Amino acid sequence: MKNFRLRTMAGGVLLAGLFACSEPKFETGSYQVIPLPMDIAETVGAAPFIIRPSTTVCYPEGNEALERTARFLASYIKEVTGTEVKTGTKAGSKNCIVLDVDPGLGNKEAYVLDVTDRRVTLTGATEAAVFLGTQTLYKALPITEGQALGALPAGTVKDEPRFAYRGFMIDVGRHFFSVDYLKELIDVMALHNINYFHWHLTEDQGWRIEIKKYPKLTEVGATRKETITEPGSKEYDGKPVSGFYTQEEAREIVRYAAERFITVIPEIDLPGHMLAALASYPELGCTGGPYEVPTRFGVFDDVLCGGNERTLQFAKDVLNEIMDIFPSPYIHIGGDECPKTRWEKCPKCQAKIRELGLKSTREHSKENQLQVWFMSEVEKEILARGRQMMGWDEILEGNPDPSKTVMAWTSPKAGVKSAQLGHPTIITPIHYLYFSNPWINRLMGEASVKRVYDFEPVADTLTVDERKNIIGAQGCIWTEWTKDSVKMEWQMMPRIDALSELQWTQPEKKDFGQFTQRLRHQLKLYDLKGWNYKSLDEADSLKYRQFKNW
Ligand code: ACM
Ligand code: ZN
């Protein structure tokens, strides 16, 4: 006869199970995880499922994705509880965690977890949904590290996401991060049910992806000689910053993410933010250069020439190589922060404007319309390969057709405008969801996560139909002042927990006080993983004073 105590429902507090003489000690976890599942019904008073060395994680024979997911789950169990379980295809009547697919569950990311003391079944509408269910189990396990067996409370969890698009962006242009480290960040995303990794691959300050037809992009454009020491400074650190991903390495990232049901969206940011490309191929600019990979940050007047056939061909060639590497249905081509200073004076740009018959209107200058034309030409290449174009909200300045997916970053209002114009819209405002935003970085302790948690991506000024155009939300880290993993993680965690809850959980279920309780367990998991994070305790933030809050 087993003795056990259930942990309390509300706080997710773990209570050690008492142990009878023949039974090893166990602790029972909690389904009060982040993001909070849609529906948790625990069987009060029923014995939990104890995970033992004899437990098997079972998957249907021949289903490679579920076999891999079973191995992932076994590795999470080992990491968190110290117990080494088996994986296999023969599900017995007891002592099994059974993974299975049932397309009848509806939402393709819906899963149901059913737990008794004899058996756990995790059924997903798709393999992706089963993987998401294993992330819930990962977070629901007690962290015992071999001091006790782990157990799961008896009951049922039914879960599915609020938004189909749940993204996170990392800029590798300003600072380079290794393939191995990006894999670790993909693990962080997976743990938070994020399903799109938006990989910002090119910037003024560094071109980071091998393009075989244009080798100078990485021979010249992947290196800057030094970097400004702090915002507004006139001093430079004298240290070169360099690095790029070979196409093979990028494919490796795509594969690693896909195994975790994360789609990698590549971004080639054009026609602005292209100085590294111009330094490599000066003929792509309006003035012909010479150009240098910049050592400061900001918005630069030198951009791709919008009226030059060679520039357009360059963009198409680059994107074709990108589409060979990335199977993503979305291809991001930027469109943000592109001053028209050079285009206003450039004979080629002005000739193109005349040829296309573009005229300035009260709302849209002829140069803005040239950008729309340029991006639409690039888009044709993307559509021809069965993909869709994505761009930042400045693409709305030229009045493009509503097929284009818009990432609304400049303000929450930009998201409203985009949705009203009928664009599929992803909400990622600089004021709330840019985790590298210096003003927001100054917020410490709970205030830092609350800033994200309280943001509602669907504005109440939108009509019911317009609301359907908000397909999701995204967090972004721009790396001007993010040189290493410590700063990266300190900005990401635990704000990514608040983000995941606004991406996944229905708003009526949200409760900040309860969230911070659930966060305590999550931070213990971060400790176990060795990830840096911004503590809920303000005093602890002094530890990271070297970041000077920007
Ligand atoms: C952006 O932050 N410039 C998209
Ligand atoms: Zn030009």
Side-chain angles (χ1 to χ4, degrees), residues 284-287 303-308 342-343 346-350 370:
L284 301 176
C286 291
T287 65
V303 301
L304 291 181
C305 175
N308 183 341
R342 297 284 182 260
W343 290 14
C346 168
K348 287 199 187 85
C349 287
Q350 291 303 318
L370 180 62

Side-chain angles (χ1 to χ4, degrees), residues 82 105 157 234 241 247 262 295 324-325 375 421 453 534:
L105 284 176
V157 175
K234 293 198 169 46
V241 173
Q247 296 199 352
I262 293 176
T295 53
D324 290 342
I325 305 167
M375 298 192 77
L421 290 169
Y453 197 83
K534 197 180 232 185

Side-chain angles (χ1 to χ4, degrees), residues 49 102 130 141 153 257 280 297 343-344 353 357 369 383 388 420 446 475 503:
F49 180 87
D102 173 6
V130 177
L141 290 167
S280 312
F297 303 111
W343 290 14
E344 283 160 8
I353 284 171
Q369 294 174 59
L383 294 173
Q388 290 177 56
Q420 285 172 337
E446 286 192 1
Q503 291 172 325

Side-chain angles (χ1 to χ4, degrees), residues 484-519:
D484 58 31
S485 61
V486 179
K487 178 91 184 263
M488 179 72 83
E489 291 158 26
W490 177 83
Q491 294 176 113
M492 203 166 176
M493 290 175 273
R495 284 186 281 192
I496 195 169
D497 291 278
L499 171 74
S500 76
E501 204 133 299
L502 63 89
Q503 291 172 325
W504 183 275
T505 306
Q506 293 298 333
E508 59 274 13
K509 289 246 169 190
K510 284 173 61 191
D511 176 314
F512 186 69
Q514 204 220 42
F515 168 78
T516 54
Q517 290 303 312
R518 288 182 279 120
L519 195 50

Side-chain angles (χ1 to χ4, degrees), residues 279-419:
S280 312
Y281 295 97
E283 64 273 24
L284 301 176
C286 291
T287 65
Y291 307 101
E292 188 185 54
V293 181
T295 53
R296 303 180 70 82
F297 303 111
V299 176
F300 298 94
D301 283 343
D302 285 304
V303 301
L304 291 181
C305 175
N308 183 341
E309 283 304 322
R310 270 183 85 177
T311 308
L312 189 55
Q313 193 54 48
F314 164 81
K316 290 179 180 177
D317 291 341
V318 167
L319 282 161
N320 270 307
E321 289 197 31
I322 289 290
M323 287 188 282
D324 290 342
I325 305 167
F326 296 92
S328 167
Y330 294 115
I331 303 293
H332 201 309
I333 55 171
D336 61 318
E337 297 181 320
C338 179
K340 303 299 183 300
T341 325
R342 297 284 182 260
W343 290 14
E344 283 160 8
K345 303 237 158 60
C346 168
K348 287 199 187 85
C349 287
Q350 291 303 318
K352 194 72 195 177
I353 284 171
R354 282 192 299 278
E355 183 195 317
L356 295 169
L358 304 177
K359 302 256 175 328
S360 291
T361 64
R362 210 154 51 88
E363 279 179 306
H364 305 294
S365 73
K366 57 192 191 328
E367 285 77 19
N368 279 344
Q369 294 174 59
L370 180 62
Q371 179 172 336
V372 171
W373 170 80
F374 187 88
M375 298 192 77
S376 300
E377 288 300 299
V378 176
E379 185 188 22
K380 283 182 194 156
E381 211 69 15
I382 295 173
L383 294 173
R385 295 187 57 170
R387 321 290 186 88
Q388 290 177 56
M389 165 192 152
M390 208 177 234
W392 298 106
D393 65 61
E394 287 95 325
I395 65 170
L396 298 173
E397 282 166 20
N399 204 20
D401 76 71
S403 67
K404 295 161 185 37
T405 301
V406 170
M407 263 183 196
W409 75 277
T410 53
S411 67
K413 270 196 202 143
V416 170
K417 178 174 166 197
S418 170

Side-chain angles (χ1 to χ4, degrees), residues 114-354:
D114 192 45
V115 182
T116 68
D117 62 340
R118 297 173 66 80
R119 196 178 158 101
V120 174
T121 50
L122 167 55
T123 311
T126 57
E127 282 80 3
V130 177
F131 179 81
L132 289 159
T134 63
Q135 299 310 301
T136 294
L137 287 176
Y138 195 175
K139 292 170 279 194
L141 290 167
I143 300 171
T144 62
E145 294 181 79
Q147 298 304 304
L149 293 174
L152 294 164
T156 309
V157 175
K158 292 190 179 136
D159 202 9
E160 64 181 57
R162 177 182 183 195
F163 291 115
Y165 184 101
R166 304 178 302 279
F168 203 88
M169 190 215 77
I170 293 175
D171 159 25
V172 293
R174 274 57 176 264
H175 282 97
F176 177 78
F177 292 87
S178 71
V179 168
D180 280 348
Y181 188 60
L182 288 180
K183 288 182 179 173
E184 202 162 343
L185 295 180
I186 288 169
D187 287 344
V188 177
M189 294 177 208
L191 187 69
H192 293 87
N193 301 11
I194 282 168
N195 59 352
Y196 288 94
F197 164 35
H198 169 183
W199 198 5
H200 185 82
L201 282 164
T202 64
E203 258 308 332
D204 292 306
Q205 295 82 7
W207 184 284
R208 304 278 175 234
I209 179 79
E210 175 190 27
I211 300 294
K212 295 195 195 278
K213 199 161 180 185
Y214 297 92
K216 283 200 242 163
L217 287 171
T218 44
E219 287 163 12
V220 176
T223 304
R224 67 171 179 271
K225 63 176 194 286
E226 59 186 353
T227 307
I228 176 181
T229 53
E230 54 181 81
S233 169
K234 293 198 169 46
E235 284 175 30
Y236 294 83
D237 63 7
K239 292 185 209 148
V241 173
S242 197
F244 69 92
Y245 308 95
T246 64
Q247 296 199 352
E248 244 355 273
E249 286 171 327
R251 285 197 173 88
E252 171 70 10
I253 289 287
V254 168
R255 186 195 58 74
Y256 188 89
E259 287 180 348
R260 290 148 184 83
F261 297 93
I262 293 176
T263 301
V264 184
I265 301 176
E267 181 184 353
I268 301 296
D269 195 354
L270 52 84
H273 289 293
M274 270 280 161
L275 264 170
L278 296 186
S280 312
Y281 295 97
E283 64 273 24
L284 301 176
C286 291
T287 65
Y291 307 101
E292 188 185 54
V293 181
T295 53
R296 303 180 70 82
F297 303 111
V299 176
F300 298 94
D301 283 343
D302 285 304
V303 301
L304 291 181
C305 175
N308 183 341
E309 283 304 322
R310 270 183 85 177
T311 308
L312 189 55
Q313 193 54 48
F314 164 81
K316 290 179 180 177
D317 291 341
V318 167
L319 282 161
N320 270 307
E321 289 197 31
I322 289 290
M323 287 188 282
D324 290 342
I325 305 167
F326 296 92
S328 167
Y330 294 115
I331 303 293
H332 201 309
I333 55 171
D336 61 318
E337 297 181 320
C338 179
K340 303 299 183 300
T341 325
R342 297 284 182 260
W343 290 14
E344 283 160 8
K345 303 237 158 60
C346 168
K348 287 199 187 85
C349 287
Q350 291 303 318
K352 194 72 195 177
I353 284 171
R354 282 192 299 278

